[in-house]
Amino acid sequence: MANHRISCPLVLALLLVFFYSSVVLSAAPVTYNVVSLGAKPDGKTDSTKAFVTAWTRACASANPATIYVPVGRFYLRGVIFNGPCRNNAVRVRIDGTLVAPSDYRVLGNGANWILFKHVNGVTVSGGTLDAKGTSLWACKSSGKSTCPSGATTLQFSNSNNIVVSGLTSLNSQMFHIAVNGCQNVKMQAVKVIASGDSPNTDGIHVQSSSGVTILNTKIGTGDDCISIGPGTTNLWIENVACGPGHGISIGSLGKDLKEDGVQNVTVKTVTFTGTQNGARIKSWGRPSNGFARNILFQHIVMVNVQNPVLIDQNYCPDNKDCPGQVSGVKISDVTYQDIHGTSATEVAVKLDCSSKNPCSRIRLENVKLTYKNQVAEASCVHAAGTSSGLVQPSGCL
């Protein structure tokens, strides 16, 4: 009788193949097409329910999941994508355009149009978010007191490991993109488009967040291209084109008496074109325990910028709640390195610091700014630091 023994190595190999194929199958990604779930690409039919269904299923999936938005225009009301999810790899891939309601009152009194909250490992790639904010801007410019504040187009709140890539934000009601209470966020190849006179339309706003990176991004809007709020640490901004807009601003800081500080911020390889400000730090002129330190502005080109280098610690809009007071925010270790180009005003470097908490360890290294083909001027008040290399305008520090 033949001996049908099977060798141990063969058994082991078969078991490994079975185990491996089971793991691969169990981790197979799934895709939810919003059109298959009822969304209509006509820009008019309310597709909110289909998007919510797609999110609910993707978030509940044990496997990596993709929500796919094909070519077309999809009408979307205000929506919250809540986590946490079963998996940490939900991708929202957009080939089309998401369209907000034309009536600004539908979203205008809400904080956000699209909100991701308590999520981990979400990627949003491609597509356009058309917030249709122009009618709200017109309402605000008319001076009517009944205009709502407006909604932020896209916000990530209390979330980690986020990627936003190749996204275009068009005509936001208020902020275009906001990152609040997040860790490890990467934004790349983002475009922000709004008119230079659109009110409060910050391009990207970051606050209470750590490890945010913004790369290869083009922003034209009516307020700060990038605004950096309290509690922001380890922020890296590189290869950004800004204009029109109000520049890249740290602040406003010091609005509250007790406030988290800003530290470890790098802004490099940025071109400002026709903006109100370039590299700006601003704080309210009133008491606060806030601070801004370890800030680097490097390899910056200014093209006809009104205030290329600005520290303003006497910010007091409409002269309310702060006249006669001084800023408590402490600004230190700020370096301006390889800054050159043209100023639209005579004073290209203005450091207007707090009399109670003077700016310290400010460094100007290889700064050359001109006004009408002449060396521009500098103005420094309550600021201490050093200059090195060629610095024009000189005599400030």
Side-chain angles (χ1 to χ4, degrees):
M1 185 173 179
N3 189 346
H4 293 292
R5 286 183 301 169
I6 300 175
S7 67
C8 287
L10 181 58
V11 172
L12 183 60
L14 289 170
L15 286 171
L16 284 172
V17 169
F18 176 76
F19 174 76
Y20 178 74
S21 60
S22 299
V23 169
V24 169
L25 287 171
S26 67
V30 289
T31 297
Y32 301 98
N33 186 322
V34 294
V35 170
S36 302
L37 296 169
K40 298 285 189 276
D42 59 8
K44 299 174 184 176
T45 306
D46 188 347
S47 295
T48 309
K49 186 177 178 181
F51 277 77
V52 171
T53 300
W55 173 260
T56 300
R57 294 183 182 180
C59 189
S61 170
N63 301 344
T66 295
I67 297 169
Y68 178 58
V69 182
V71 173
R73 294 175 63 80
F74 296 87
Y75 175 96
L76 192 66
R77 288 181 287 109
V79 64
I80 299 176
F81 298 124
N82 265 311
C85 297
R86 283 188 70 193
N87 72 85
N88 293 329
V90 175
R91 183 182 181 195
V92 183
R93 186 161 69 90
I94 308 171
D95 283 339
T97 298
L98 309 188
V99 184
S102 297
D103 183 348
Y104 60 76
R105 291 169 297 184
V106 176
L107 297 175
N109 289 309
N112 302 283
W113 176 23
I114 300 166
L115 171 63
F116 288 87
K117 195 173 180 182
H118 300 296
V119 300
N120 183 18
V122 167
T123 296
V124 179
S125 61
T128 298
L129 307 179
D130 182 357
K132 294 192 170 291
T134 53
S135 57
L136 178 58
W137 309 341
C139 179
K140 289 181 176 180
S141 66
S142 72
K144 292 179 183 176
S145 59
T146 55
C147 306
S149 297
T152 291
T153 291
L154 173 64
Q155 178 164 186
F156 295 91
S157 174
N158 300 107
S159 297
N160 301 328
N161 306 311
I162 304 300
V163 175
V164 179
S165 177
L167 178 75
T168 298
S169 176
L170 177 64
N171 295 338
S172 62
Q173 289 190 354
M174 207 165 142
F175 292 0
H176 287 263
I177 301 171
V179 177
N180 185 12
C182 296
Q183 288 189 328
N184 190 22
V185 177
K186 184 175 184 179
M187 296 195 189
Q188 58 189 2
V190 170
K191 287 184 181 177
V192 169
I193 302 168
S195 74
D197 58 1
S198 56
N200 304 118
T201 52
D202 291 29
I204 300 173
H205 176 73
V206 181
Q207 70 177 44
S208 302
S209 297
S210 178
V212 177
T213 303
I214 301 168
L215 304 173
N216 308 324
T217 286
K218 183 176 175 59
I219 301 173
T221 192
D223 210 299
D224 293 331
C225 290
I226 300 173
S227 56
I228 302 158
T232 299
T233 62
N234 302 323
L235 170 64
W236 189 281
I237 297 166
E238 184 173 4
N239 196 18
V240 171
C242 169
H246 292 182
I248 292 180
S249 295
I250 296 175
S252 308
L253 304 179
K255 185 175 183 179
D256 298 322
L257 184 62
K258 292 185 177 182
E259 185 178 276
D260 293 331
V262 172
Q263 61 185 338
N264 302 337
V265 175
T266 297
V267 178
K268 67 181 294 184
T269 318
V270 175
T271 300
F272 296 99
T273 305
T275 52
Q276 185 185 91
N277 309 290
R280 174 168 68 160
I281 303 174
K282 65 174 179 174
S283 71
W284 285 74
R286 61 191 194 198
S288 174
N289 70 339
F291 62 83
R293 61 186 178 225
N294 297 329
I295 315 294
L296 173 63
F297 295 100
Q298 183 185 60
H299 308 321
I300 310 289
V301 177
M302 307 283 181
V303 182
N304 200 36
V305 175
Q306 291 180 40
N307 302 293
V309 174
L310 176 63
I311 295 178
D312 176 11
Q313 290 208 260
N314 293 292
Y315 180 66
C316 189
D318 302 323
N319 285 319
K320 291 180 180 176
D321 303 323
C322 36
Q325 302 181 71
V326 294
S327 178
V329 173
K330 295 178 177 63
I331 297 175
S332 63
D333 295 291
V334 182
T335 299
Y336 302 92
Q337 189 178 75
D338 184 26
I339 316 286
H340 60 276
T342 57
S343 174
T345 60
E346 206 166 354
V347 179
V349 176
K350 184 176 182 181
L351 310 180
D352 187 11
C353 299
S354 168
S355 58
K356 183 179 179 182
N357 298 288
C359 299
S360 62
R361 297 184 296 279
I362 308 299
R363 287 177 283 273
L364 297 175
E365 302 175 6
N366 298 313
V367 175
K368 186 176 181 182
L369 296 166
T370 61
Y371 170 66
K372 292 185 175 177
N373 296 317
Q374 303 289 322
V375 175
E377 293 187 6
S379 169
C380 294
V381 179
H382 306 301
T386 59
S387 296
S388 63
L390 175 68
V391 175
Q392 294 178 338
S394 61
C396 191
L397 295 174

